[in-house]
Amino acid sequence: MYRVIAPETPEQFATYYDLRWRVLREPFQRPRGSEQDEYDQVGIHRMVVNSAGQAVAVGRLHFNSPDEGQIRFMASAPEHRGAGHGVAIVYELEKVARAEGAKHIVINSRDNTLGFYIKCGYEVVEEGDRVKNPQAEHQLRKTLTEFNRIIYRPSWCAELQKTWHEEIPISETMGIRITQYTGRDFETTATLSRNINVHGTMFAGSIYSLATLTCWGLLHLQLRERELEGAVVLADGQIHYHKPVSREPRAVARLSAMTGDLSALTMGKNARVTLKSQVFDGDKPVAEFTGQFVVLAKNEK
């Protein structure tokens, strides 16, 4: 079980700074203490911890001006890389920057992390000697807009939402919008007023459609992540309704709940996977959907 927290106690800061040093300073033979600077006292800190309270990913935000935030000291434990923890840190720090009124965020990056930040919507603005940081070769920048509130692959999500609205018109009628993608979790919302029944709650069919499309969207994006091609088709779906939806509905599908194998696509064969999503009324899950999906290989369509 992993969660993002703001370190507060001496014990939490100890594990926070230890991970910083082990990942960012020890490989360069830098001494203990070099992993901290003068901005730590005024910065905003976030870390992902495991069930034992140990830090597995860390990062810090500070402000260079009222308009400019800077993310620094991003680090993930080597044994936990690829699990989406770095994206979770960037997402939480960006939320703080937006809430504080920042107009943009800058990040200095080495070559080996450049691709990660580009996937998070950052663009390279400075290269090589012009970056005033001996630990980095690039400076990246993100202008904070409504569009790039989606933390990971924002351009892909914009393309997907446009495809939905053009090819599945009911999705636009229902007011379905992509609200977040982290590379591992995919979240959508719908407009309650467009899907309301005589009881003042959401139509069961609308809940089913939102849950299905959320799983479909996550699978579509994962195919792009893995550079695989195929048409996603729902073969079978089951949903359990626990309570009515009386507030703006939100649906979440998680990669960790996906079962099946997409590798058949590399051999020109269809792939079959199972995905799950939950629909929330506020913060409470009120419906659970399980879908059996087939990805039709290009030569099998």
Side-chain angles (χ1 to χ4, degrees):
M1 182 67 180
Y2 300 95
R3 58 194 178 98
V4 181
I5 68 168
E8 296 178 347
T9 68
E11 292 78 15
Q12 289 171 340
F13 271 109
T15 186
Y16 172 89
Y17 286 125
D18 180 68
L19 181 60
R20 254 199 207 178
W21 178 76
R22 287 192 290 112
V23 174
L24 302 176
R25 294 296 182 263
E26 185 181 23
F28 301 98
Q29 291 78 52
R30 300 289 298 279
R32 291 272 186 179
S34 62
E35 76 281 5
Q36 300 183 41
D37 67 16
E38 66 275 15
Y39 289 102
D40 279 328
Q41 296 300 314
V42 295
I44 293 93
H45 306 271
R46 293 292 184 270
M47 68 178 183
V48 176
V49 296
N50 60 18
S51 56
Q54 299 168 321
V56 300
V58 299
R60 188 197 73 194
L61 171 75
H62 69 266
F63 291 91
N64 297 324
S65 71
D67 289 341
E68 181 177 274
Q70 181 168 358
I71 292 177
R72 285 202 66 195
F73 293 111
M74 286 285 299
S76 295
E79 64 273 21
H80 291 283
R81 287 174 188 163
H85 302 314
V87 177
I89 294 290
V90 173
Y91 176 50
E92 292 296 327
L93 295 177
E94 281 192 11
K95 284 201 300 185
V96 175
R98 290 177 188 273
E100 293 294 325
K103 300 295 189 297
H104 62 269
I105 295 177
V106 296
I107 295 176
N108 293 325
S109 170
R110 298 187 69 87
D111 287 334
N112 63 336
T113 55
L114 180 61
F116 167 77
Y117 293 119
I118 290 174
K119 291 174 184 176
C120 289
Y122 288 80
E123 298 179 347
V124 176
V125 293
E126 299 285 358
E127 294 276 16
D129 295 338
R130 299 182 67 183
V131 180
K132 300 179 178 62
N133 187 330
Q135 300 293 323
E137 291 93 11
H138 315 275
Q139 185 175 88
L140 300 98
R141 176 185 174 113
K142 178 191 278 190
T143 299
L144 300 178
T145 67
E146 183 63 30
F147 158 69
N148 62 30
R149 282 181 181 273
I150 296 174
I151 191 66
Y152 199 71
R153 306 289 195 185
S155 60
W156 288 10
C157 291
E159 292 172 16
L160 174 57
Q161 185 164 291
K162 182 180 178 182
T163 298
W164 281 354
H165 290 177
E166 290 177 350
E167 300 184 10
I168 313 174
I170 193 174
S171 67
E172 185 170 22
T173 303
M174 291 175 60
I176 294 178
R177 295 289 185 273
I178 298 169
T179 52
Q180 195 51 254
Y181 176 54
T182 69
R184 303 187 70 81
D185 296 344
F186 183 67
E187 181 177 316
T188 62
T189 59
T191 304
L192 180 63
S193 61
R194 298 186 184 185
N195 300 276
I196 204 163
N197 59 30
V198 294
H199 305 291
T201 59
M202 191 174 184
F203 281 113
S206 293
I207 297 173
Y208 185 93
S209 297
L210 178 63
T212 302
L213 209 53
T214 303
C215 288
W216 189 98
L218 176 61
L219 182 52
H220 170 86
L221 291 169
Q222 283 300 308
L223 290 173
R224 292 196 67 175
E225 297 284 1
R226 304 174 194 206
E227 299 182 347
L228 298 172
E229 292 187 67
V232 178
V233 178
L234 176 66
D236 185 39
Q238 296 182 343
I239 191 166
H240 297 281
Y241 302 98
H242 303 302
K243 292 183 179 180
V245 176
S246 58
R247 287 174 285 183
E248 294 299 294
R250 177 173 63 94
V252 178
R254 305 186 191 281
L255 184 60
S256 59
M258 185 175 83
T259 58
D261 188 0
L262 294 171
S263 63
L265 294 170
T266 63
M267 299 177 285
K269 298 181 180 180
N270 296 342
R272 290 171 172 78
V273 295
T274 300
L275 293 99
K276 298 182 179 181
S277 63
Q278 289 182 304
V279 177
F280 292 79
D281 180 49
D283 293 328
K284 295 182 179 179
V286 295
E288 297 175 351
F289 171 82
T290 301
Q292 313 290 329
F293 291 84
V294 177
V295 185
L296 302 176
K298 293 189 69 174
N299 62 349
E300 292 284 344
K301 293 179 186 179

